[in-house]
Amino acid sequence: MLTGKNIILGVCGGIAAYKTPHLVRLFKKAGANVQVLATASALEFVSELSLATVSRRPVLRDLFELEGPGDDDKTMHITLGEWADAFVIAPATANTIARLCAGLCDDMLSVCFITLRPDKPVLIAPAMDGHMYGSPSVRRNLAALAAQGCRLLEPASGELASGQCGLGRMPEPEAIVEAVGEMLRPAPASPLNGLNVVVTAGPTREKIDGVRFLSNYSSGKMGFAVAREAARRGAVVRLVTGPVSLVTPAGVERIDVESAAEMLEAASRFFGTCDLFIGAAAVADYRPEAPVQGKIKKDDAEMELRLVRNPDILGEFSAGRRPGQISVGFALETGGGIGYAREKLERKRLDLVAFNVYDGVSTGFEVDTNALTLIDRDGNVTELPVMPKDALAGQLLDSIEQLLPSR
Ligand code: CTP
């Protein structure tokens, strides 16, 4: 995977920097070219000579002391961004994470991070003391970097430089090389490549008053996994999601909404142009008829809340779609057989329904695994046992690919 690939390795000033010459050697052994960009404090922990020797390139640090490999390239901070196939930051310290997050450009590492072409993958391997890693500012900055498409490699647990044990160690260089190889693995040739896909995900919130709402436990994980996998297969993916705390998958356009009405409004903008619509959202079937402005006071012993039906987003897409547009839905039940899912396939005029019995332990809303029974319009039934939602998303898209009209 790494043969001939150009990798920028950003090294920051943490104790784990002493492992980076070995990391560079592994990249080189795998056939990659490596350009090291070190922060000033990184070179307090690891020698510039070691990194330059193993990478066979000068280590770049300061913007104004550019010594290009063999030439006098004063715009190398731009050309490197084009040269690179991947940008890896290991170890990434709290300070550099904050600088990258803020968009600062005060050394080669931070400038090249900004000039990197947006389609190039970035892998960040944070390594620091466990308390630092858990601090709200580091969590917030990492979440922001992840939201802009950077992949994060969880630190490993073990003995830390402070003598304490905990989460915070840089993963071993072998694991970093493996993760970069995976990141650069080409997506399988897929019939979804270039198609417009809309995925709805997460719960909706239906306002009762200014401070309360009706909702459900949907975490959005299944819908996000489907969106991520569709994007990996080359689709142009719009993810219309209710409120969830999940990172936007790389390459996916995310549209945040709250209520079912807002979800319909956002999704319907793509009804005419999408090739595939996947309704993975747990849309509230009803909403309070008359949400109150401000806060309802508890004046009475009882309270009645009148609910009215919400629009059926998937149903509206299916009803109005033109031939060739594919419609896929989920059916979540707390029991019962697949007869109900078959009925939903008919009633919502779907091409495929993914039936999912909720047990709240290994299947359902908030967990990372699920099990699905796929039923398509031709009556084919595919049972997918309990597995991670990412893997299920792949299998679901494999089945959907069989239903796509030939192009
Ligand atoms: N769905 C939707 N809009 C709604 C309700 C559901 O788009 N207002 C989609 C979901 O994203 C999912 C499928 O329809 O793909 C699930 O339907 P479900 O909520 O079970 O709808 P009903 O057919 O109303 O089922 P039930 O009778 O159990 O409420």
Side-chain angles (χ1 to χ4, degrees):
M1 237 34 101
L2 293 175
T3 311
K5 296 291 183 199
N6 297 329
I7 293 171
I8 294 180
L9 175 63
V11 181
C12 310
I15 183 64
Y18 83 89
K19 295 183 181 173
T20 53
H22 180 47
L23 177 59
V24 174
R25 284 210 59 213
L26 292 178
F27 278 136
K28 297 286 290 180
K29 257 176 94 174
N33 305 307
V34 184
Q35 173 63 60
V36 177
L37 310 181
T39 64
S41 47
L43 300 178
E44 301 284 333
F45 291 91
V46 59
S47 106
E48 182 169 351
L49 185 60
S50 307
L51 288 167
T53 307
V54 286
S55 67
R56 299 205 197 98
R57 281 169 174 260
V59 172
L60 302 178
R61 184 176 22 146
D62 188 343
L63 255 182
F64 298 104
E65 287 176 71
L66 282 183
E67 292 172 49
D71 62 23
D72 187 22
D73 186 354
K74 297 297 180 215
T75 56
M76 199 187 294
H77 58 295
I78 311 283
T79 47
L80 272 177
E82 284 159 14
W83 172 84
D85 293 302
F87 196 139
V88 181
I89 306 175
T93 54
N95 183 47
T96 294
I97 288 167
R99 287 190 305 123
L100 299 182
C101 194
L104 297 188
C105 291
D106 51 1
D107 61 4
M108 271 302 264
L109 194 160
S110 52
V111 177
C112 288
F113 179 74
I114 289 209
T115 57
L116 190 73
R117 286 234 319 259
D119 56 327
K120 303 291 178 68
V122 177
L123 182 76
I124 299 180
M128 62 195 77
D129 171 73
H131 293 298
M132 287 173 83
Y133 184 64
S135 77
S137 53
V138 171
R139 306 305 313 155
R140 190 176 59 236
N141 290 336
L142 284 173
L145 289 171
Q148 70 186 59
C150 299
R151 284 156 228 228
L152 306 178
L153 197 57
E154 266 280 289
S157 260
E159 200 181 317
L160 301 170
S162 60
Q164 296 185 346
C165 253
L167 198 65
R169 286 166 63 95
M170 186 176 87
E172 289 308 318
E174 287 77 4
I176 296 175
V177 173
E178 169 92 26
V180 176
E182 177 59 29
M183 196 166 80
L184 291 174
R185 190 162 61 91
S190 161
L192 285 168
N193 190 16
L195 295 192
N196 284 303
V197 175
V198 175
V199 182
T200 65
T204 62
R205 286 181 180 175
E206 311 299 332
K207 268 195 175 144
I208 298 173
D209 66 10
V211 294
R212 304 180 181 96
F213 54 81
L214 293 176
S215 192
N216 57 63
Y217 288 114
S218 170
S219 63
K221 285 178 181 169
M222 193 65 229
F224 273 57
V226 171
R228 182 180 303 108
E229 183 57 24
R232 210 175 75 80
R233 295 179 187 212
V236 178
V237 183
R238 267 84 182 220
L239 176 61
V240 184
T241 178
V244 295
S245 50
L246 293 176
V247 167
T248 311
V252 167
E253 184 186 336
R254 170 173 177 167
I255 300 146
D256 286 294
V257 297
E258 284 227 341
S259 63
E262 284 174 21
M263 188 172 274
L264 174 64
E265 205 272 321
S268 61
R269 277 187 262 142
F270 307 108
F271 277 5
T273 50
C274 76
D275 299 292
L276 165 64
F277 189 95
I278 304 176
V283 185
D285 287 324
Y286 296 89
R287 67 178 183 279
E289 183 177 40
V292 173
Q293 287 218 322
K295 183 167 174 255
I296 300 173
K297 302 293 289 175
K298 52 176 177 310
D299 293 331
D300 303 315
E302 289 179 1
M303 176 186 155
E304 276 187 15
L305 196 58
R306 196 176 154 71
L307 304 179
V308 291
R309 277 295 282 271
N310 263 332
D312 183 342
I313 301 161
L314 180 64
E316 289 203 16
F317 169 73
S318 290
R321 71 187 155 133
R322 46 182 168 71
Q325 287 184 301
I326 302 290
S327 182
V328 174
F330 279 76
L332 177 84
E333 307 301 338
T334 47
I338 62 172
Y340 193 80
R342 280 208 174 92
E343 183 270 326
K344 197 163 295 182
L345 182 88
E346 294 297 325
R347 180 163 47 85
K348 297 205 184 199
R349 301 174 53 200
L350 305 177
D351 294 292
L352 184 141
V353 67
F355 174 58
N356 161 194
V357 174
Y358 175 86
D359 71 11
V361 182
S362 55
T363 63
F365 276 153
E366 286 169 304
V367 290
D368 290 324
T369 52
N370 204 0
L372 294 176
T373 303
L374 310 182
I375 307 160
D376 73 18
R377 61 186 179 213
D378 302 324
N380 299 311
V381 176
T382 312
E383 302 258 3
L384 304 175
V386 174
M387 64 179 99
K389 286 180 176 171
D390 280 343
L392 270 180
Q395 302 241 15
L396 171 65
L397 288 175
D398 287 348
S399 292
I400 293 173
E401 284 179 356
Q402 308 296 319
L403 301 171
L404 292 172
S406 48
R407 286 196 283 173

